[in-house]
Amino acid sequence: MPDVKHFDEAEALAAVEQLFWRRGSAATGIQDVVAATGLSRSSLYNAFGGKDALYAAAARRYLEHRSRPMFDQLAADGRGLAAVRAFFDKLLRLRLSGEYAGWGCMMANANTESPPDAVRAVLSEHHAVLRDSLAAALTVAQGNGELRAGTEVEGAAELLTLLAYAINLRSRSGATRAQLKAAVNAALTALGT
């Protein structure tokens, strides 16, 4: 007779995502996961596999539920540099106020650890989707004549991607809104005409 699951996997994964996001993988033991979900070790292992597989599933959930919607909105915005500025304004709001203030970004945080290969694949995808979304907005900006002559869109998108990761990390260590906003303003001013 097959084993019947008596818990909601999506709900459990949401709790695990928040645990890894807030604490990171290195500081999170399987007993922490058991405590956060209320599930037994065997239920966790049967549903998700070991800790590395669980971390990868949590990272995938973060990408799909938190990051990708924001990146897709940026790519489809159509306002050029105004879209990029709005993206960074929203990022600052998310990182500095509300329920998850001071947590940074799960993906940026994971980049500071030595993640397993399955998580590295999600990190690479996250980076690519963010970079491509910024490149889409910068391509519009270039078409609108908003970028400085000679600006290479792909390189500028990579620079802004790295800035987003830096904002996520610095927001965890107490950087102020004014400090982070100054960096965004400097980057966008350097790109603009």
Side-chain angles (χ1 to χ4, degrees), residues 36 42 51-52 65 68-69 85 98 110 112-113 148 166 177 185:
S42 62
K51 180 182 168 185
D52 288 352
H65 288 89
R68 195 177 293 274
R85 188 170 298 282
T112 67
E113 298 185 308
R148 201 174 295 275
R177 179 176 177 77
N185 288 340

Side-chain angles (χ1 to χ4, degrees), residues 23-186:
R23 298 183 61 191
S25 176
T28 302
I30 199 66
Q31 190 56 42
D32 299 313
V33 176
V34 167
T37 61
L39 300 174
S40 69
R41 286 175 188 248
S42 62
S43 292
L44 287 167
Y45 287 133
N46 287 335
F48 302 106
K51 180 182 168 185
D52 288 352
L54 190 56
Y55 186 27
R60 170 67 53 197
R61 184 185 192 288
Y62 185 95
L63 170 62
E64 298 303 331
H65 288 89
R66 298 187 188 274
S67 300
R68 195 177 293 274
M70 194 168 157
F71 300 165
D72 289 348
Q73 181 181 14
L74 169 62
D77 188 299
R79 293 182 295 151
L81 280 182
V84 175
R85 188 170 298 282
F87 167 80
F88 278 103
D89 286 345
K90 183 175 182 179
L91 182 63
L92 291 173
R93 261 192 327 275
L94 290 171
R95 296 303 169 240
L96 299 171
S97 62
E99 183 179 359
Y100 306 110
W103 287 24
C105 164
M106 184 178 179
M107 301 294 102
N109 300 345
N111 274 297
T112 67
E113 298 185 308
S114 294
D117 289 343
V119 174
R120 286 177 192 258
V122 177
L123 295 179
S124 292
E125 183 178 348
H126 182 273
H127 186 97
V129 174
L130 174 54
R131 183 195 59 233
D132 292 349
S133 297
L134 286 162
L138 291 174
T139 299
V140 171
Q142 191 170 52
N144 293 342
E146 297 176 277
L147 297 185
R148 201 174 295 275
T151 299
E152 196 271 310
V153 167
E154 293 302 318
E158 182 68 24
L159 175 69
L160 292 177
T161 299
L162 296 175
L163 175 61
Y165 284 119
I167 287 169
N168 283 308
L169 291 174
R170 290 287 296 135
S171 70
R172 284 182 62 98
S173 60
T176 66
R177 179 176 177 77
Q179 290 170 323
L180 298 174
K181 183 74 173 170
V184 171
N185 288 340

